[in-house]
Amino acid sequence: KGDYNINNIEIIYLYYTRKKMATKELHLEEMSSLSIGTIIDTLSESYIKLINNNIPFKMFPSVMLWGQPGVGKSQAVREIGENIKKATGKRINIKDVRLLLFNPVDLKGLPVTNAEKTFAKWLAPDIFMLDPSQDCVNILFLDEISAAPQSVQSSAYQITLDRKVGELELPENCIVIAAGNRVTDKSVAYKMPKALANRFIHFEVKSSYKSWKKWAMHKGIHPLVQGFLNERQNITALQTAQQIYA
């Protein structure tokens, strides 16, 4: 937007990619395939720029992370939250919502009558009650979204584009990120409806020993484990799964 004084190549790139994806089916080879470390750094920097320049998060498209089980998608969201906290001093509230545990109508809530009993209103689920205060950043994390049946995935249309759940609007300080396994990972995964896919900017998370080592050193993983994988850097979770299910 012309009113915002910001030079953020990530936002321009994400917006362009999203518009391009809207005209065709979703294919993994057309996604940006990045290491988990690069995704953490890029998204952290982008969200921090938005905060520092007072740009609402709704100007940034919802993010979808695709990748094999155990590659670090969920941990990445937590690290993005930690980076935002360190850089801005804001509190981080991560709401982990597993759509596969819900029916489509559950997300809308429960109908209740008004005092005059002339019409019904919907009470939104407690999981979507986020902190709207200015000193907080909410991250609505739709984890394992691809494990939910398509009928349930479709209920996320409104969340990812209009930033609403039924009649409840997400606060301005809310980031929306989703993650899931690919159908090719031989895990529980359903094809994402095209209408929902068009509402995301997609990244394929690829395994990276360099990113894992950085995380392992920070978390204090035992040196013997680090040494073993240092000598066998070609071992990945994907290779192990292929050997098991071959």
Side-chain angles (χ1 to χ4, degrees):
K1 298 290 183 177
D3 295 338
Y4 297 125
N5 183 21
I6 185 172
N7 181 20
N8 192 336
I9 189 63
E10 290 87 2
I11 293 179
I12 297 173
Y13 169 74
L14 292 177
Y15 178 77
Y16 169 77
T17 307
R18 182 183 178 198
K19 296 293 287 184
K20 182 179 179 181
M21 292 291 293
T23 62
K24 57 178 69 177
E25 294 291 341
L26 178 64
H27 298 289
L28 289 177
E29 62 270 16
E30 295 174 342
M31 297 184 199
S32 297
S33 182
L34 303 172
S35 70
I36 195 66
T38 301
I39 289 176
I40 291 171
D41 292 342
T42 300
L43 291 179
S44 296
E45 180 183 355
S46 298
Y47 291 131
I48 291 168
K49 285 182 179 180
L50 292 174
I51 294 170
N52 291 339
N53 289 272
N54 295 317
I55 299 178
F57 288 127
K58 65 183 179 181
M59 300 302 300
F60 197 91
S62 300
V63 173
M64 176 66 201
L65 303 177
W66 295 92
Q68 66 197 63
V71 77
K73 301 183 293 296
S74 301
Q75 180 65 30
V77 174
R78 289 189 284 270
E79 291 197 27
I80 290 170
E82 292 178 4
N83 292 341
I84 294 174
K85 181 179 180 180
K86 291 178 182 178
T88 65
K90 293 181 179 289
R91 293 182 294 108
I92 303 298
N93 176 34
I94 299 178
K95 279 293 185 79
D96 187 337
V97 178
R98 309 291 174 114
L99 292 182
L100 73 161
L101 302 178
F102 293 87
N103 291 318
V105 70
D106 292 338
L107 297 179
K108 191 171 184 178
L110 294 174
V112 295
T113 60
N114 65 336
E116 294 77 20
K117 296 185 178 181
T118 55
F119 61 87
K121 298 183 66 176
W122 290 85
L123 293 180
D126 180 66
I127 55 173
F128 294 112
M129 302 307 293
L130 305 174
D131 188 346
S133 58
Q134 293 297 317
D135 65 338
C136 178
V137 172
N138 297 288
I139 300 179
L140 180 58
F141 183 35
L142 306 176
D143 200 4
E144 305 294 350
I145 189 173
S146 59
Q150 289 189 342
S151 60
V152 181
Q153 290 188 39
S154 300
S155 62
Y157 290 177
Q158 195 179 28
I159 299 174
T160 54
L161 184 62
D162 300 327
R163 298 171 59 85
K164 295 179 64 178
V165 182
E167 299 176 0
L168 175 68
E169 292 191 18
L170 300 181
E172 292 288 337
N173 61 348
C174 182
I175 296 168
V176 179
I177 302 177
N181 301 323
R182 304 159 299 190
V183 176
T184 55
D185 290 321
K186 298 181 179 180
S187 182
V188 178
Y190 296 88
K191 183 178 179 181
M192 180 174 285
K194 183 178 179 182
L196 178 58
N198 291 342
R199 289 161 166 77
F200 284 111
I201 174 64
H202 298 262
F203 290 99
E204 182 182 18
V205 183
K206 62 181 181 181
S207 59
S208 165
Y209 170 75
K210 183 178 179 180
S211 295
W212 180 87
K213 182 179 180 180
K214 181 180 178 181
W215 171 84
M217 294 178 66
H218 176 69
K219 295 296 183 180
I221 301 300
H222 198 286
L224 290 179
V225 177
Q226 296 188 45
F228 174 81
L229 289 177
N230 184 58
E231 294 299 320
R232 296 168 174 80
Q233 297 183 21
N234 62 326
I235 295 179
T236 66
L238 179 59
Q239 289 173 329
T240 302
Q242 288 176 336
Q243 293 168 359
I244 292 174
Y245 294 108

